Amino acid sequence: MSDWNWKTAFRSFYYETAEEPDDITLDPASTALLVIDIQNTYLEPPEDDTEARRWQPFFDRMNDIVIPNNARLIDWARKEGLEVMFARIACQTQDGRDRSLSQKKPGFNYLLLPKDRDDSQLVDALAPQGDEIVVTKTTDSALTGTNLRLMLHNIGIRHVIVAGIFTDQCVSSTVRSLADESFEVLVVHDACAAATDDLHERELEIINMIYCQVVGMDDLPGFLA
C-alpha cells in the first residue's frame, strides 16, 4: 500500500464525501493496546481436506502478516509504555454452560473452549509478559462479558488500539462497545484478519470513522505525543 493514507482509506457510503479526520495524538499514559482472540484453536486446520483448503488463505494471512505484526505491535507498545492487554474466548466450565447464546449455536460460532485447555490459550508468539492483563470472555465483545471496562477506567485509559481476530466478529463487537463507552478507538488493519480478505475489508469500511479510526502499523509511531 504505497499510497496508503489512513485519512482517506476504508471509506463507506456514509463517509465517502466526508472531510478528512483530524490528526491523532496519543498520550502513552492513557493509551492501551488490546489484542483480541489470537488463540491456538484458530490456527488448527480443519480435518476435512476441502475445508482445510478453503481456510488456507486465512492461515496464510495469520502466519505471514497478523501474528508477526502483532508481535511488532506488542513490542512497540511495551517500549513506549502503553498498557498491553489481551482478550481471549474461553469458558469457565467444562461443558460450556456459561457461554453466551451466540457461542452455543451450531456452526462456525459454536465455541467450546474450557479456559485451561491448550486450544483456548493465546499463541506462544504473543504471550503476555509480567502483569499484563488478560481478560477471558464468553461473548464477542471483550467489554460485555468481562470487567475490562472497569479496569480501563481505573488505569486511566482514554485511547484503545485494537488488533486481532475476527475483524467482522469479536474485533467489531469490541470496537463498537468501546465507542459506546466513549473511548477513542484505533483499529490496526494490518494486524487483524477475518475469514476472508473481503470480509475483513468490508467490516473495516463499516466501522471506520463511526466507531473507530482504521490505521496501519506504520502510522502508529507518528501518533504518539
Side-chain angles (χ1 to χ4, degrees), residues 13-143:
F13 177 87
Y14 300 108
Y15 283 93
E16 64 184 18
T17 61
E19 296 180 4
E20 291 186 2
D22 293 336
D23 292 341
I24 295 170
T25 302
L26 301 176
D27 175 5
S30 61
T31 303
L33 168 64
L34 177 62
V35 178
I36 298 174
D37 295 355
I38 304 184
Q39 298 167 246
N40 292 329
T41 188
Y42 295 119
L43 296 177
E44 297 173 347
E47 293 181 2
D48 180 81
D49 289 344
T50 301
E51 275 297 282
R53 285 192 297 272
R54 201 168 72 96
W55 278 91
Q56 192 58 50
F58 168 77
F59 297 133
D60 291 342
R61 179 175 175 86
M62 290 299 294
N63 289 309
D64 298 342
I65 298 174
V66 174
I67 291 176
N69 277 355
N70 271 273
R72 285 177 51 211
L73 190 55
I74 292 167
D75 185 56
W76 168 79
R78 286 169 178 158
K79 288 178 179 176
E80 295 293 347
L82 278 64
E83 191 77 32
V84 176
M85 311 176 84
F86 302 83
R88 68 179 182 121
I89 295 175
C91 50
Q92 301 293 323
T93 59
Q94 290 298 310
D95 64 1
R97 61 187 181 276
D98 57 311
R99 294 170 296 171
S100 62
L101 178 60
S102 65
Q103 292 180 12
K104 294 177 181 176
K105 290 183 176 180
F108 172 74
N109 246 34
Y110 178 85
L111 293 169
L112 178 56
L113 294 169
K115 62 184 175 62
D116 295 326
R117 211 167 64 189
D118 184 65
D119 55 352
S120 77
Q121 307 307 312
L122 301 172
V123 299
D124 289 343
L126 307 180
Q129 293 183 3
D131 64 353
E132 291 172 349
I133 293 168
V134 181
V135 295
T136 298
K137 61 191 179 69
T138 55
T139 58
D140 277 15
S141 169
L143 263 69

Side-chain angles (χ1 to χ4, degrees), residues 143-202:
L143 263 69
T144 301
T146 74
N147 64 340
L148 178 59
R149 175 192 297 104
L150 178 61
M151 289 189 288
L152 291 170
H153 282 301
N154 288 349
I155 295 168
I157 298 299
R158 294 185 297 111
H159 310 276
V160 183
I161 301 169
V162 175
I165 57 175
F166 287 85
T167 313
D168 55 329
Q169 297 188 24
C170 293
V171 169
S172 179
S173 292
T174 300
V175 165
R176 290 165 185 256
S177 295
L178 288 166
D180 284 345
E181 296 287 338
S182 294
F183 291 97
E184 295 278 355
V185 186
L186 304 183
V187 173
V188 186
H189 75 87
D190 43 359
C192 295
T196 69
D197 286 349
D198 180 58
L199 286 170
H200 168 72
E201 291 175 7
R202 278 193 287 157

